[in-house]
Amino acid sequence: DDASTPSHTQRLFSAIGHPDKEMHEIAGANHYYSGPDQRGTLREAVTFPSDPGAFTDEQIKTVLEEVRLPNLVNRLGEEENWSMTLSVGEQQRIAIARALLNKPHWLFRGAAPSALDEETERHVYNLVTERLAQSAIVSIAHRPSVAAYHRRRLAIVPELQQVQSVSLPPAE
């Protein structure tokens, strides 16, 4: 799934073994949850957590086309269990569409972008970095290619009870 839950933050914080660690909440920061249960209309699935009426059909259709889901633009009113109807790659792109519409301050991408081919991954990350330039983007991924879209890498090493931070060169 491509979830962005508060539990991600808590698990990352818990993994840091330093005795002087502190967690600070940033007042006014927002986040969103793009969890796996996507029942209801496609409009609701794409606009979550916002009210489905917060965006025009044109805005929703445009973002679906931008994340390469043109086959869904005429299905906004259809009710389905979208987590069962859509492929994992389509669900990951729906999650990106949500982020592009909702513009969160923090975007946590779990299992990112495990089901996307390299070209779609590149396209989606370029969209995210262009359109969410003011957002902090955290990708939890096993693919080395994801590093190209980030300026910093954190590696959690549980057996050493530490987090290793590495600055990355800018993507070419």
Side-chain angles (χ1 to χ4, degrees):
D1 73 76
D2 204 4
S4 170
T5 65
S7 67
H8 271 135
T9 304
Q10 188 58 50
R11 279 185 278 170
L12 286 169
F13 180 74
S14 296
I16 300 169
H18 196 278
D20 295 330
K21 66 183 177 182
E22 293 180 36
M23 183 179 285
H24 298 275
E25 184 175 329
I26 302 169
N30 65 7
H31 69 283
Y32 82 103
Y33 173 72
S34 62
D37 188 17
Q38 302 168 11
R39 297 172 196 268
T41 66
L42 181 60
R43 178 182 292 100
E44 292 167 334
V46 176
T47 60
F48 183 84
S50 293
D51 183 272
F55 305 100
T56 67
D57 284 0
E58 196 56 42
Q59 288 173 302
I60 299 167
K61 289 177 179 183
T62 297
V63 80
L64 286 172
E65 289 175 356
E66 288 174 335
V67 298
R68 297 184 174 171
L69 292 172
N71 56 312
L72 298 178
V73 298
N74 294 318
R75 298 180 67 185
L76 297 181
E78 286 185 32
E79 283 206 33
E80 295 280 347
N81 180 345
W82 296 101
S83 59
M84 300 298 288
T85 304
L86 301 174
S87 71
V88 175
E90 289 170 324
Q91 290 177 55
Q92 289 180 343
R93 286 178 282 159
I94 289 286
I96 292 299
R98 278 191 198 117
L100 295 174
L101 286 171
N102 287 290
K103 297 177 177 44
H105 293 122
W106 289 84
L107 176 61
F108 289 85
R109 300 222 42 232
S114 61
L116 303 180
D117 61 76
E118 284 186 30
E119 166 53 30
T120 303
E121 172 187 300
R122 184 173 26 263
H123 173 75
V124 164
Y125 268 104
N126 285 335
L127 272 175
V128 167
T129 55
E130 285 173 22
R131 301 267 301 280
L132 300 177
Q134 301 304 312
S135 299
I137 301 165
V138 178
S139 295
I140 301 166
H142 299 283
R143 273 188 177 173
S145 58
V146 173
Y149 308 104
H150 298 280
R151 293 186 306 261
R152 186 170 251 356
R153 177 177 180 257
L154 296 177
I156 299 172
V157 187
E159 56 275 2
L160 299 177
Q161 293 191 333
Q162 62 182 218
V163 174
Q164 298 172 347
S165 176
V166 177
S167 292
L168 301 172
E172 295 178 14

